[in-house]
Amino acid sequence: MIKLKVKEKIYYGKNGKPASVILDYKDYQEMLELIEDMQAVKLIEKRKKEKTIKEKDFLAKYNIK
């Protein structure tokens, strides 16, 4: 697991529970990139489990010439 060094400020609501967080923009961007990378890995893993088909069958299925 990747450990981020993030400077955040947590704001609490009237009930004492966390309500919002403020992050430095750089940290926010890095978090978004990590999330996108994780999504790409999940998609790759999913695709690895899919059945493969021959190229000619693929082209015929999607009517590609």
Side-chain angles (χ1 to χ4, degrees):
M1 178 180 238
I2 297 173
K3 178 102 172 154
L4 293 175
K5 295 181 181 178
V6 180
K7 298 175 189 173
E8 76 276 357
K9 288 189 178 191
I10 302 172
Y11 291 92
Y12 297 88
K14 292 178 182 178
N15 60 4
K17 294 183 180 180
S20 59
V21 177
I22 295 182
L23 301 170
D24 288 339
Y25 185 74
K26 181 181 172 187
D27 295 335
Y28 171 73
Q29 284 297 117
E30 189 172 342
M31 289 173 125
L32 287 180
E33 288 177 20
L34 288 170
I35 291 168
E36 289 170 358
D37 292 347
M38 288 175 21
Q39 290 172 332
V41 169
K42 286 179 183 178
L43 180 60
I44 290 168
E45 291 301 317
K46 179 182 173 189
R47 295 283 167 88
K48 282 182 180 179
K49 295 175 186 176
E50 291 179 357
K51 181 181 169 187
T52 58
I53 61 174
K54 295 179 181 179
E55 181 182 8
K56 68 176 187 170
D57 296 335
F58 176 84
L59 296 173
K61 180 178 180 178
Y62 294 102
N63 200 21
I64 301 172
K65 296 182 183 185

